[in-house]
Amino acid sequence: MRRLACAAVTVPLAAGALLAGGAGTAGAAPGTGPTAVVSMGDSYISGEAGRWKGNSLTNTGSRNGTDRGWISGSTYDPAKVYGATAGGCHRSDSAEVHSAGAIADVAVNLACSGAVSQNVFRASNGGVSYRGEAPQADQLAAVAASHDVKVIALSIGGNDLGFADIIKSCAYDFIIWNSYCHDDQQYAVDQKIDAVMGKVGKSVDEIRAVMRTAGYADSSYRIVLQSYPSPIPRGAENRYTQSDWSRLNTGGCPFWNRDSDWARDSLVPQIANRIKGVAAAKGVQFLDLRDMLQGREVCAKASKQVSSTVPASAKTSEWARWIDNNESQGLIQESMHPNHYGQLAAGRCLALAVAQPAGSASGCKNTAGSDHTGMFLTPAP
């Protein structure tokens, strides 16, 4: 049995820069060169946790087939999934921009785990380098010059709002303090959210500025601004009782029912609704992912842990990474992010969104008992 220690829970959101599909044509003007789809922002679009196919309590070998970084015996190489960004930006091979399919000739992942809005802005306008890389908007300028950029998918704001601290506080309140987190955390979110949404809007403006400088008309490409899914189920949908330690020691979801309900039905919708407002104000497309993991969350009754008798499967396994606070299977930064199956689902959502009008607003949901091919769009709430 995996035991989760009471050490600090740190869950930075991910982002990254991975080129797939071949080299571009240097100096290509807008509308020439290979077409490109670009992802920018944080861990929820960089591919964080893409190493994992469900969650298993087995800590040896392939971890019952869940560990895509397994080589043989007790040898593991996260670079099989994250490439040169292993341990850093965590740009997964199954990240949304790569899992979306044939949206463009080339997929470019500029997102990075832990990124905040300032890591998206141009350096000339307040942007800050991160993990040894230039601000993402400045990286985008090089891509826009050598490719014909058609789609830019953006996920940002979660780290500005303090997702990691919220998760840490709520876990501590379950593990140590025997108290709730939703009241004080809601107050903290309310104090920050206006400023955070201003930064999300500025991120869109920075992308527009880069593309205009590169000679692109606003109508020649689209920006898809997306919200966040909940990796935590509602209390009534959790398969482990809150009256013992199974949520911590077995499920890896140490949260009280009331805090779980708050996260799923208040916090995630609040953020999604505000991001939708930013998208509308900036005239960009909105992709609402609040329900993407419904029934597939960590500890959800409708999903199962992987074991020697329950194989890893996109149809039955959890689509999010549990909290492995001992880091007995990987890095803590992977916790509470869509895993490999979740990344495939997000990619399908992006592909479906790109097939919609550029100014549309859609929610993306999964079909119970299906894999990522069962994702479908609904009008955004």
Side-chain angles (χ1 to χ4, degrees), residues 21 40 130 142 180 205 252 255 285 301 333:
M40 301 177 66
Y130 185 61
Y180 295 118
D205 292 340
F255 308 104
Q285 188 172 0
K301 286 181 178 178
Q333 74 180 69

Side-chain angles (χ1 to χ4, degrees), residues 246-305:
S246 57
R247 286 192 181 178
L248 172 67
N249 295 330
T250 305
C253 56
F255 308 104
W256 296 111
N257 284 350
R258 288 181 63 181
D259 290 338
S260 300
D261 292 346
W262 166 75
R264 180 66 181 86
D265 290 329
S266 294
L267 177 63
V268 169
Q270 179 185 14
I271 297 170
N273 292 338
R274 292 298 300 270
I275 293 177
K276 179 183 179 183
V278 172
K282 298 298 180 180
V284 300
Q285 188 172 0
F286 175 59
L287 178 58
D288 191 347
L289 300 181
R290 73 179 77 183
D291 296 322
M292 187 188 84
L293 297 178
Q294 174 61 38
R296 315 302 186 107
E297 306 99 334
V298 178
C299 298
K301 286 181 178 178
S303 297
K304 301 176 181 178
Q305 276 189 352

Side-chain angles (χ1 to χ4, degrees), residues 343-359:
Q343 299 296 335
L344 297 181
R348 180 58 180 160
C349 290
L350 179 61
L352 292 171
V354 170
Q356 300 298 307

Side-chain angles (χ1 to χ4, degrees), residues 163-243:
F163 267 6
D165 289 338
I166 292 172
I167 292 171
K168 175 181 175 180
S169 176
C170 292
Y172 272 12
D173 280 347
F174 181 90
I175 299 168
I176 301 175
W177 305 120
N178 194 30
S179 60
Y180 295 118
C181 72
H182 63 270
D183 45 2
D184 56 328
Q185 291 304 311
Q186 182 64 67
Y187 176 81
V189 168
D190 290 342
Q191 298 305 301
K192 296 177 182 178
I193 197 163
D194 287 345
V196 170
M197 289 304 130
K199 293 177 181 179
V200 173
K202 181 177 177 180
S203 297
V204 174
D205 292 340
E206 290 291 287
I207 292 171
R208 286 284 192 216
V210 166
M211 298 300 285
R212 288 167 181 165
T213 299
Y216 288 75
D218 291 354
S219 60
S220 66
Y221 68 100
R222 72 173 69 197
I223 296 174
V224 181
L225 179 61
Q226 63 188 51
S227 66
Y228 297 94
S230 173
I232 304 169
R234 298 175 179 89
E237 296 169 353
N238 195 308
R239 64 178 177 266
Y240 302 104
T241 177
Q242 65 173 350
S243 62

